Amino acid sequence: MARVAVVTGGTRGIGHAISIALKNKGCRVAANYAGNDAAARQFQAETGIPIYKWDVGDFAACQEGVTRITRDLGPIDVLVNNAGITRDGMLHRMTKDNWDAVIRTNLDSVFNMTRLVIDGMRSRSFGRIVNISSINGRKGQMGQANYSAAKAGLLGFTKAVAQENAAKGITVNVIAPGYIATEMVQAVPKDVLETKILPLIPVGRLGTAEEIARCVTFLAADEAGFITGACLDANGGQYMA
Ligand code: NDP
């Protein structure tokens, strides 16, 4: 039976590549997104992957989304918590709204989605949960107290939930990407990229969304049952924990 996989923020950037990679591995994929309907529709037309719009920071909306996907595709076997945003600024200038938005979208969302699929995974004795953190959750990043806190929070969440569910056939892991060539990073001026960012990356280039997707399919595979509570750093050697 094909596994049913949900990718939050699965229509653009890294999530776009994750959705396609899971589909290519034989999963029946549902791609969630927040508000960019045009990008989501284009993604659906190109890939044939069904799209589901809701805000992952909203528990009730997650409940509805999970119910719809379960009705359309079946019970969820693989959850990729990928949706994320940035609202950068130094802490001494950071607004409460920008703190709350990032914690809600990047950390509360992971509780919301995981909480809603965990009972079903436990009852079926199988599950794969992959959380997308960041190099900046590993090492901290100036101007990103909110983002670094949320992404570091995923590391603790992953280890706790991995321990709770290890005996139930459920693995919970985290991937910490470095700089990936998504629209956001490609918008950085060329000279800043070449003089400030690339020199920090021993591999000498940005990562690709497909390279992160490959980490996800590795951890989401049925055969990956002995890997749980782990953090997979994919950052071109920029940070070695
Ligand atoms: P993008 O901005 O390219 O895409 C984000 C996706 O998440 C979109 O599909 C977006 O939907 C969705 N999304 C955002 N907010 C919500 C929400 N509240 N509810 C549901 N969906 C939402 O991001 P990236 O691909 O760059 O990043 C993906 C993940 O990887 C994030 O968690 C990010 O923190 C992490 N990461 C990225 C790195 C990078 O270099 N790009 C490096 C390290 C980590 P919509 O299209 O509707 O806006």
Side-chain angles (χ1 to χ4, degrees), residues 9-15 32-36 54-56 82-85 105 132-134 147 151 177-180 182 184-185:
T11 56
R12 283 199 297 121
I14 294 171
N32 150 267
Y33 72 106
N36 190 334
W54 80 84
D55 172 6
V56 288
N82 165 77
I85 59 168
T105 304
I132 307 298
S133 177
S134 164
Y147 186 84
K151 293 298 189 181
Y179 282 101
I180 306 302
T182 57
M184 183 178 72
V185 174

Side-chain angles (χ1 to χ4, degrees), residues 7-18 31-40 52-58 62 81-87 101 104-106 109 131-137 144 147 151 154 175-186 206-207 209 212 234:
V7 183
T8 69
T11 56
R12 283 199 297 121
I14 294 171
H16 182 283
I18 295 171
N32 150 267
Y33 72 106
N36 190 334
D37 296 313
Y52 294 84
K53 178 179 176 177
W54 80 84
D55 172 6
V56 288
D58 177 337
C62 289
N81 285 309
N82 165 77
I85 59 168
T86 52
R87 295 285 183 275
R104 186 174 177 278
T105 304
N106 297 10
S109 63
N131 298 320
I132 307 298
S133 177
S134 164
I135 186 173
N136 294 342
Q144 288 196 323
Y147 186 84
K151 293 298 189 181
L154 294 187
I175 297 169
Y179 282 101
I180 306 302
T182 57
E183 278 169 43
M184 183 178 72
V185 174
Q186 279 168 327
L206 301 175
I212 303 307

Side-chain angles (χ1 to χ4, degrees), residues 70-105:
T70 305
R71 193 187 55 215
D72 294 351
L73 303 181
I76 294 164
D77 304 301
V78 177
L79 169 64
V80 184
N81 285 309
N82 165 77
I85 59 168
T86 52
R87 295 285 183 275
D88 295 352
M90 302 290 268
L91 179 70
H92 57 272
R93 287 192 218 107
M94 187 174 287
T95 63
K96 176 79 166 93
D97 281 353
N98 283 348
W99 171 266
D100 289 343
V102 169
I103 298 298
R104 186 174 177 278
T105 304

Side-chain angles (χ1 to χ4, degrees), residues 197-220:
I197 296 178
L198 292 182
L200 301 174
I201 308 173
V203 166
R205 64 171 176 83
L206 301 175
T208 66
E210 288 71 24
E211 286 174 311
I212 303 307
R214 188 160 176 277
C215 298
V216 174
T217 54
F218 170 70
L219 292 170

